[in-house]
Amino acid sequence: MALNPAYEAIGKGFVQQYYALFDDPSQRPNLVNMYNVETSFMTFEGIQLQGSKNIMEKLTSLSFQKINRLITAVDSQPMFDGGVLINVLGRLQTDEDPAHAYIQTFVLKPIGTSFYVQHDVFRLALHDSCDDDPPHAYSQIFVLKPLGGSFYCAHDIFRLNIHNSA
């Protein structure tokens, strides 16, 4: 399969659709349709989950009802199997908690004329620091592919976690 030339539009459209469902507690259960029963993986704040059933148990157990989300950047790359690698940088506030930066990475895999989420990694960008001027947080995603007895880096997305606010 070849690189998908529409990868940027697919990435932005997917992010918009995913968060529209996620951010509405009554719609959140519909995210099950985006994950595969067996081959989808999620890492949520360090917790590893496999399969749509386990992923949905985690997502529907989240107790917050209100989400304010600001998406700062969506970086996408085409993958050699026709999939799309997506990295989202943003800020979110749940209920009355303070807003925090977050990073979420998705790997979309083609299935027929559509896609499913094969990998989903979510992490709040929380840092313990007592410095007056701490360095900026960053995210970097690598996709490694086997090459003989080793690996090579097929994809690399780097983003400083800098948010412009009005």
Side-chain angles (χ1 to χ4, degrees):
M1 196 175 271
L3 295 173
N4 191 324
Y7 67 93
E8 286 191 57
I10 292 167
K12 287 180 180 170
F14 168 79
V15 166
Q16 182 179 17
Q17 181 182 15
Y18 184 91
Y19 291 139
L21 293 174
F22 185 93
D23 292 354
D24 180 348
S26 68
Q27 292 295 316
R28 198 172 297 148
N30 294 324
L31 289 171
V32 70
N33 299 318
M34 294 188 168
Y35 295 95
N36 183 279
V37 173
E38 297 175 2
T39 62
S40 288
F41 288 86
M42 173 185 263
T43 303
F44 188 90
E45 287 293 312
I47 299 168
Q48 298 281 335
L49 305 160
Q50 181 178 356
S52 59
K53 180 179 181 274
N54 294 331
I55 292 168
M56 291 312 300
E57 283 177 3
K58 178 62 182 172
L59 295 181
T60 57
S61 75
L62 300 172
S63 61
F64 48 81
Q65 294 299 304
K66 185 174 84 176
I67 298 176
N68 291 319
R69 183 184 308 271
L70 170 67
I71 296 173
T72 304
V74 176
D75 297 309
S76 301
Q77 289 184 358
M79 300 185 78
F80 290 100
D81 64 357
V84 181
L85 173 64
I86 305 165
N87 187 50
V88 180
L89 171 65
R91 293 184 64 79
L92 67 88
Q93 178 186 19
T94 58
D95 293 332
E96 303 307 317
D97 293 335
H100 293 290
Y102 76 94
I103 299 115
Q104 191 160 12
T105 303
F106 300 96
V107 174
L108 303 184
K109 289 295 179 183
I111 184 166
T113 59
S114 190
F115 296 88
Y116 74 93
V117 178
Q118 184 179 42
H119 299 281
D120 178 351
V121 180
F122 175 86
R123 181 69 77 165
L124 289 173
L126 302 175
H127 305 279
D128 294 328
S129 176
C130 56
D131 296 336
D132 289 335
D133 189 21
H136 290 290
Y138 71 93
S139 66
Q140 190 161 11
I141 295 99
F142 300 103
V143 175
L144 303 179
K145 296 288 183 176
L147 178 65
S150 187
F151 294 90
Y152 71 96
C153 183
H155 298 275
D156 180 356
I157 297 177
F158 176 87
R159 175 66 78 161
L160 283 175
N161 294 355
I162 299 174
H163 307 275
N164 295 328
S165 59

Short mmCIF file of all heavy atoms in Angstrom, two decimals, residues 136-157:
data_model
loop_
_atom_site.label_atom_id
_atom_site.label_comp_id
_atom_site.label_asym_id
_atom_site.label_seq_id
_atom_site.Cartn_x
_atom_site.Cartn_y
_atom_site.Cartn_z
N HIS A 136 10.74 24.21 28.71
CA HIS A 136 9.46 23.78 28.16
C HIS A 136 9.40 22.26 28.07
O HIS A 136 10.39 21.60 27.77
CB HIS A 136 9.25 24.36 26.76
CG HIS A 136 9.02 25.82 26.76
ND1 HIS A 136 7.87 26.40 27.24
CD2 HIS A 136 9.80 26.84 26.34
CE1 HIS A 136 7.96 27.71 27.12
NE2 HIS A 136 9.12 28.00 26.57
N ALA A 137 8.22 21.74 28.31
CA ALA A 137 8.00 20.31 28.09
C ALA A 137 7.98 20.07 26.58
O ALA A 137 7.77 20.99 25.79
CB ALA A 137 6.68 19.89 28.70
N TYR A 138 8.18 18.83 26.18
CA TYR A 138 8.12 18.49 24.77
C TYR A 138 7.58 17.08 24.63
O TYR A 138 7.54 16.31 25.58
CB TYR A 138 9.49 18.59 24.10
CG TYR A 138 10.46 17.50 24.51
CD1 TYR A 138 10.57 16.33 23.78
CD2 TYR A 138 11.24 17.63 25.66
CE1 TYR A 138 11.44 15.32 24.17
CE2 TYR A 138 12.10 16.64 26.05
CZ TYR A 138 12.20 15.48 25.30
OH TYR A 138 13.05 14.48 25.68
N SER A 139 7.15 16.76 23.44
CA SER A 139 6.78 15.39 23.13
C SER A 139 7.53 14.98 21.87
O SER A 139 7.79 15.80 20.99
CB SER A 139 5.26 15.24 22.93
OG SER A 139 4.84 15.93 21.79
N GLN A 140 7.90 13.73 21.83
CA GLN A 140 8.56 13.18 20.65
C GLN A 140 8.07 11.75 20.46
O GLN A 140 8.06 10.97 21.41
CB GLN A 140 10.07 13.22 20.77
CG GLN A 140 10.77 12.89 19.47
CD GLN A 140 12.21 13.35 19.44
OE1 GLN A 140 12.79 13.75 20.45
NE2 GLN A 140 12.79 13.32 18.26
N ILE A 141 7.64 11.47 19.26
CA ILE A 141 7.10 10.15 18.93
C ILE A 141 8.00 9.52 17.89
O ILE A 141 8.35 10.16 16.90
CB ILE A 141 5.67 10.25 18.37
CG1 ILE A 141 4.72 10.79 19.44
CG2 ILE A 141 5.16 8.92 17.88
CD1 ILE A 141 4.44 12.21 19.29
N PHE A 142 8.38 8.28 18.14
CA PHE A 142 9.16 7.50 17.18
C PHE A 142 8.36 6.28 16.77
O PHE A 142 7.73 5.65 17.61
CB PHE A 142 10.47 6.99 17.81
CG PHE A 142 11.39 8.07 18.30
CD1 PHE A 142 11.48 8.36 19.65
CD2 PHE A 142 12.18 8.79 17.41
CE1 PHE A 142 12.34 9.34 20.11
CE2 PHE A 142 13.04 9.77 17.87
CZ PHE A 142 13.12 10.05 19.22
N VAL A 143 8.40 5.95 15.51
CA VAL A 143 7.87 4.68 15.03
C VAL A 143 9.07 3.92 14.48
O VAL A 143 9.70 4.36 13.51
CB VAL A 143 6.79 4.84 13.95
CG1 VAL A 143 6.36 3.49 13.40
CG2 VAL A 143 5.59 5.59 14.52
N LEU A 144 9.39 2.80 15.11
CA LEU A 144 10.54 1.99 14.70
C LEU A 144 10.07 0.83 13.84
O LEU A 144 9.03 0.22 14.10
CB LEU A 144 11.27 1.46 15.93
CG LEU A 144 11.76 2.51 16.92
CD1 LEU A 144 12.45 1.84 18.09
CD2 LEU A 144 12.69 3.51 16.24
N LYS A 145 10.84 0.53 12.82
CA LYS A 145 10.56 -0.61 11.93
C LYS A 145 11.76 -1.54 11.95
O LYS A 145 12.91 -1.08 12.03
CB LYS A 145 10.32 -0.12 10.48
CG LYS A 145 9.10 0.76 10.32
CD LYS A 145 7.85 -0.04 10.45
CE LYS A 145 6.63 0.83 10.21
NZ LYS A 145 5.40 0.10 10.23
N PRO A 146 11.52 -2.84 11.87
CA PRO A 146 12.64 -3.79 11.88
C PRO A 146 13.46 -3.70 10.61
O PRO A 146 12.94 -3.46 9.53
CB PRO A 146 11.96 -5.16 12.01
CG PRO A 146 10.55 -4.95 11.62
CD PRO A 146 10.22 -3.51 11.82
N LEU A 147 14.76 -3.89 10.78
CA LEU A 147 15.70 -3.91 9.65
C LEU A 147 16.80 -4.91 10.02
O LEU A 147 17.67 -4.60 10.83
CB LEU A 147 16.30 -2.53 9.40
CG LEU A 147 17.33 -2.42 8.28
CD1 LEU A 147 16.68 -2.74 6.93
CD2 LEU A 147 17.94 -1.04 8.25
N GLY A 148 16.70 -6.10 9.47
CA GLY A 148 17.65 -7.14 9.83
C GLY A 148 17.49 -7.47 11.31
O GLY A 148 16.40 -7.71 11.79
N GLY A 149 18.58 -7.44 12.04
CA GLY A 149 18.54 -7.72 13.47
C GLY A 149 18.40 -6.47 14.31
O GLY A 149 18.60 -6.50 15.52
N SER A 150 18.06 -5.34 13.68
CA SER A 150 17.98 -4.07 14.39
C SER A 150 16.69 -3.35 13.98
O SER A 150 15.76 -3.97 13.47
CB SER A 150 19.21 -3.22 14.04
OG SER A 150 19.23 -2.05 14.83
N PHE A 151 16.65 -2.04 14.18
CA PHE A 151 15.50 -1.22 13.83
C PHE A 151 15.97 0.08 13.22
O PHE A 151 17.10 0.51 13.44
CB PHE A 151 14.66 -0.89 15.08
CG PHE A 151 14.02 -2.09 15.69
CD1 PHE A 151 14.68 -2.82 16.68
CD2 PHE A 151 12.76 -2.49 15.31
CE1 PHE A 151 14.10 -3.93 17.25
CE2 PHE A 151 12.16 -3.60 15.88
CZ PHE A 151 12.83 -4.32 16.85
N TYR A 152 15.09 0.72 12.46
CA TYR A 152 15.34 2.08 11.99
C TYR A 152 14.13 2.93 12.33
O TYR A 152 13.03 2.43 12.54
CB TYR A 152 15.65 2.12 10.48
CG TYR A 152 14.47 1.85 9.58
CD1 TYR A 152 13.73 2.89 9.03
CD2 TYR A 152 14.08 0.54 9.27
CE1 TYR A 152 12.65 2.66 8.22
CE2 TYR A 152 13.00 0.30 8.45
CZ TYR A 152 12.28 1.36 7.93
OH TYR A 152 11.21 1.12 7.11
N CYS A 153 14.33 4.23 12.40
CA CYS A 153 13.26 5.16 12.75
C CYS A 153 12.53 5.54 11.46
O CYS A 153 13.05 6.29 10.64
CB CYS A 153 13.84 6.40 13.43
SG CYS A 153 12.58 7.56 13.95
N ALA A 154 11.30 5.03 11.30
CA ALA A 154 10.51 5.32 10.11
C ALA A 154 9.74 6.63 10.25
O ALA A 154 9.44 7.28 9.25
CB ALA A 154 9.54 4.17 9.83
N HIS A 155 9.39 7.01 11.49
CA HIS A 155 8.64 8.25 11.73
C HIS A 155 9.16 8.89 13.00
O HIS A 155 9.49 8.21 13.97
CB HIS A 155 7.14 7.97 11.90
CG HIS A 155 6.51 7.36 10.70
ND1 HIS A 155 6.05 8.10 9.65
CD2 HIS A 155 6.29 6.07 10.37
CE1 HIS A 155 5.54 7.30 8.73
NE2 HIS A 155 5.70 6.06 9.15
N ASP A 156 9.21 10.23 12.99
CA ASP A 156 9.67 11.00 14.14
C ASP A 156 8.89 12.31 14.14
O ASP A 156 8.96 13.07 13.17
CB ASP A 156 11.18 11.25 14.03
CG ASP A 156 11.76 12.04 15.19
OD1 ASP A 156 10.99 12.48 16.08
OD2 ASP A 156 12.98 12.24 15.20
N ILE A 157 8.12 12.57 15.18
CA ILE A 157 7.42 13.84 15.34
C ILE A 157 7.90 14.47 16.64
O ILE A 157 7.85 13.84 17.69
CB ILE A 157 5.88 13.67 15.38
CG1 ILE A 157 5.36 13.10 14.07
CG2 ILE A 157 5.20 15.00 15.70
CD1 ILE A 157 3.86 12.83 14.06
#
